[in-house]
Amino acid sequence: MSPFPLPIDTLLGHWQSYIVYVIIGFGFGYVLEIAGFGKSTKLAAQFYLKEMTVLKVMFTAIIVAAVLIFLASALGLLDYSLIWVNPTYLWPGIVGGLVMGVGFIVGGFCPGTSLVSAATLKIDGFVFVLGAFFGIFAFGETVSLFEDWWYSSYMGRFTLQQFFGVDAGVVVLGVVLMALAAFAFAEWSERTFGKGAVGKQPRWRLGAALVLVALAVVTIILGQPTNADRMARLESMQNDILNARAVQIHPAELLSYLNNRQVVPYVIDVRGEADYNAFHLPGAHYVPLDEVLTHAEVLQLQPRNTLFVVMSNDEAAATQAWRILNAEGIANLYLLEGGVNRWLDTFADAEFQAAYRVRAGGDDQLAYAFPAALGARYDAADPNPAAFAGLEYTPKVTLSVGRGATGGGCG
Amino acid sequence: MTTMTRNLPRAGAGTRVARAEKPYVHPYAAGILLGIVLFLAFFITGNGLGASGGMNRLLVAAQDVLMPTHIDRVPYLLDMAGGDRNPLDSWVVFISIGTVLGGAVSGWQHGRTKLEINKGPQISNRTRLLMAFVGGGLMGYGARLARGCTSGQALSGGATLSVGSWVFMFAVFAGGYLVAYFVRRLWN
């Protein structure tokens, strides 16, 4: 597994981990201030083409961060699937953006810069902050009037590399080149409209541009890791875990979590459609093995106290699914020991077993022949936990808080 | 020795003892530093940067104290502060606290912390402050509508290549440029 992002919640403790955010925020505020973003006149000048500081700082920051993020991911240091990518709600984003653009030129700040401005005692910055609080308050009071629209045009975690259907490195290079073109335009515009108000540009910027382009090319050459790459890298570690039987949980342990209000179990049934229709656990998600990888994105969006359990008839397909999902960085991931066959051996009554257990099993096929495709309506699909309270097993589940983004954006 | 020279009044700076105002860092240099901060935010925590979200949660925390029953009736607020949920229990609140601290330290260090109003030459202080409030209101409303502000959407989503964030970014610039001509008196 890529070492970053760090599980800071686990490393430092919940409230202590917020120290890290204070430090990052400190760096953010400091840099905004030294860029001159605490001064409204400097920000507003952007819109009269005299001084393009806002464009330069913003786009430089974006391309530097993008190059570093995708280079780190290509090197296997950072797991891109664990970092927060703002979900796309197309129309609310566009309308909100337009409203903010107007607010920017009328008020002279955006929310982040107004905080810095107020922190350096600019009265207009302070009043802007008050206005922003009022706007946020007004939104909370009025959002119910158009809530359906606010949730509309949702496209989920939708990235430019998905949109263009190319490797992320190619998009990064494209963004870098686009930004460099924008800088050339900005410098021309400052010379033309600003009439020398902006000083000479330093020569090192050309070298810096070359470095960024070179790093983007390296990112393309390395390529973003695929699931197969990650599985290959993790193979020996996964073998150790699986051979130690550390993640194969007893049917009774799963049953206890299915009836536990503190955790959210998410059962993934990777068997074929016929087997699933014949019998499955209540609430089990039907995800055939070849769709498990694409389903990983859905799993990444589940709450952090989710317990993921994969199951097949015995263990072979479930083990494969576990390897795939583990390589995708899914935390709290287990598989059902002995699969559906062991579940039925444990919870179906003797009469049912005598009548329908027709095969020896062990080949990951269903060992039971069901009289009808009743799915989750068999008694054994939803056994009464009290009746099986005496079952002994070794508890294996340890829920970790997980790592990566917690809600991201401006949540 | 250094402290002494620092406290000496400079020529033309009047007799007030104050730190001399230092020039801003070059935009490209500031951009590179900002990019590194943004990258580290993602690299270490998986979350990007944000500002309006932190302000939102501070506001909701105040509302939760002043009118708790109201919070429990509005779904949007409920999500943050309903029942025993603490609206301040979120990373973005602490980013905002850090932002204020970082801005304050840099402003003080570079002699730019002073009580003043920045405005265009043609308008009164009153107009400037009124417009700052109106603009802030639009910004706050728009930022929640778009689910993030310049930091949380444009910077963070831009660097992680989110389609919605790039569209959003162009919308912000479009909105600003569309209206800039009509409010030119405010700034020029």
Side-chain angles (χ1 to χ4, degrees):
Chain A
M1 224 180 296
S2 311
F4 290 89
L6 294 172
I8 53 171
D9 252 33
T10 321
L11 290 176
L12 301 172
H14 181 66
W15 286 95
Q16 293 92 313
S17 74
Y18 287 142
I19 293 284
V20 175
Y21 292 101
V22 174
I23 295 169
I24 291 170
F26 184 92
F28 182 44
Y30 193 94
V31 176
L32 288 181
E33 207 287 329
I34 61 173
F37 283 7
K39 198 169 178 177
S40 55
T41 43
K42 206 169 171 65
L43 292 162
Q46 169 70 39
F47 292 98
Y48 299 99
L49 302 175
K50 289 178 186 163
E51 192 194 318
M52 309 291 272
T53 306
V54 173
L55 181 129
K56 288 181 186 172
V57 174
M58 260 187 71
F59 275 88
T60 307
I62 287 173
I63 59 177
V64 167
V67 164
L68 291 174
I69 286 170
F70 289 95
L71 184 62
S73 164
L75 291 169
L77 288 171
L78 173 68
D79 193 338
Y80 177 64
S81 63
L82 289 181
I83 68 172
W84 171 259
V85 175
N86 298 60
T88 296
Y89 292 82
L90 194 63
W91 287 107
I94 291 175
V95 175
L98 288 170
V99 172
M100 284 175 70
V102 176
F104 203 149
I105 191 63
V106 171
F109 296 105
C110 61
T113 56
S114 70
L115 289 178
V116 170
S117 181
T120 54
L121 304 183
K122 312 291 180 246
I123 300 167
D124 50 330
F126 186 74
V127 172
F128 185 98
V129 171
L130 291 182
F133 273 123
F134 179 77
I136 292 168
F137 170 76
F139 180 81
E141 298 305 305
T142 54
V143 61
S144 55
L145 302 174
F146 52 86
E147 204 146 22
D148 287 347
W149 177 78
W150 194 55
Y151 283 107
S152 68
S153 56
Y154 174 64
M155 299 176 185
R157 182 182 168 121
F158 185 35
T159 59
L160 291 172
Q161 55 270 34
Q162 287 167 339
F163 180 73
F164 291 116
V166 294
D167 182 77
V170 178
V171 180
V172 170
L173 180 64
V175 168
V176 169
L177 294 176
M178 207 182 73
L180 295 178
F183 298 154
F185 166 76
E187 291 180 9
W188 170 83
S189 157
E190 285 174 346
R191 283 194 303 272
T192 314
F193 299 103
K195 300 189 180 71
V198 182
K200 263 191 73 153
Q201 304 293 342
R203 287 188 68 91
W204 58 258
R205 74 197 197 286
L206 301 174
L210 269 180
V211 170
L212 279 176
V213 171
L215 289 178
V217 172
V218 171
T219 307
I220 296 177
I221 294 168
L222 291 173
Q224 296 297 304
T226 62
N227 184 253
D229 294 338
R230 296 174 198 215
M231 272 171 70
R233 200 185 299 143
L234 295 173
E235 193 177 3
S236 69
M237 202 187 83
Q238 290 189 340
N239 286 343
D240 290 346
I241 294 171
L242 290 166
N243 292 338
R245 310 258 335 142
V247 289
Q248 291 88 341
I249 61 169
H250 189 274
E253 185 167 18
L254 174 57
L255 181 66
S256 75
Y257 282 104
L258 291 176
N259 293 281
N260 181 332
R261 284 158 197 268
Q262 304 296 319
V263 291
V264 188
Y266 191 107
V267 177
I268 304 142
D269 193 328
V270 300
R271 301 173 303 155
E273 195 176 358
D275 289 354
Y276 181 84
N277 286 341
F279 176 86
H280 60 84
L281 300 195
H285 297 259
Y286 166 65
V287 186
L289 192 55
D290 56 355
E291 289 171 23
V292 163
L293 181 55
T294 48
H295 197 71
E297 282 177 37
V298 179
L299 303 189
Q300 269 146 356
L301 295 175
Q302 299 306 310
R304 287 188 143 195
N305 57 343
T306 305
L307 172 70
F308 298 103
V309 181
V310 280
M311 61 165 67
S312 58
N313 283 320
D314 289 324
E315 284 183 11
T319 304
Q320 184 59 18
W322 184 89
R323 285 179 184 274
I324 294 170
L325 293 174
N326 175 261
E328 288 300 298
I330 305 292
N332 302 323
L333 178 67
Y334 294 86
L335 66 97
L336 178 62
E337 187 176 63
V340 169
N341 290 333
R342 177 81 59 84
W343 178 275
L344 288 165
D345 294 345
T346 312
F347 297 122
D349 56 47
E351 204 179 321
F352 186 90
Q353 288 180 7
Y356 303 115
R357 199 180 205 293
V358 293
R359 298 176 63 251
D363 52 358
D364 215 12
Q365 300 297 315
L366 205 51
Y368 285 76
F370 289 91
L374 290 180
R377 281 169 288 163
Y378 283 104
D379 289 343
D382 191 15
N384 174 7
F388 296 96
L391 279 177
E392 291 206 1
Y393 60 90
T394 319
K396 291 175 183 166
V397 172
T398 49
L399 281 172
S400 69
V401 190
R403 58 190 189 137
T406 43
C410 277
Chain B
M1 192 64 206
T2 32
T3 3
M4 272 191 64
T5 32
R6 196 185 288 156
N7 287 337
L8 282 176
R10 307 200 175 213
T15 44
R16 290 249 311 273
V17 176
R19 281 162 178 270
E21 189 171 328
K22 300 200 179 92
Y24 294 119
V25 170
H26 192 278
Y28 294 128
I32 291 171
L33 289 175
L34 184 56
I36 291 170
V37 171
L38 182 57
F39 165 70
L40 286 177
F42 279 117
F43 193 61
I44 296 169
T45 73
N47 288 302
L49 299 170
S52 68
M55 295 168 76
N56 188 9
R57 284 175 176 274
L58 283 173
L59 179 81
V60 174
Q63 282 177 284
D64 202 17
V65 173
L66 299 175
M67 38 184 185
T69 51
H70 177 67
I71 293 274
D72 291 339
R73 274 187 214 116
V74 181
Y76 171 76
L77 302 173
L78 195 63
D79 200 35
M80 282 176 279
D84 61 358
R85 281 191 196 177
N86 180 354
L88 300 181
D89 185 2
S90 163
W91 65 279
V92 72
V93 172
F94 294 86
I95 289 268
S96 298
I97 292 170
T99 307
V100 173
L101 292 176
V105 167
S106 173
W108 168 79
Q109 200 182 353
H110 299 108
R112 292 189 284 257
T113 300
K114 53 180 163 223
L115 210 57
E116 63 176 348
I117 298 174
N118 295 124
K119 63 180 182 64
Q122 297 194 51
I123 55 169
S124 65
N125 284 345
R126 236 176 101 175
T127 313
R128 170 67 189 118
L129 294 185
L130 183 67
M131 287 299 133
F133 189 85
V134 172
L138 288 170
M139 257 301 176
Y141 200 92
R144 295 327 297 164
L145 203 55
R147 297 177 167 81
C149 55
T150 331
S151 346
Q153 273 280 9
L155 281 179
S156 305
T160 53
L161 307 182
S162 160
V163 172
S165 299
W166 277 88
V167 174
F168 162 84
M169 206 183 325
F170 287 114
V172 173
F173 277 103
Y177 278 108
L178 280 176
V179 179
Y181 177 79
F182 303 102
V183 297
R184 61 191 183 283
R185 222 178 69 84
L186 293 178
W187 301 108
N188 293 291

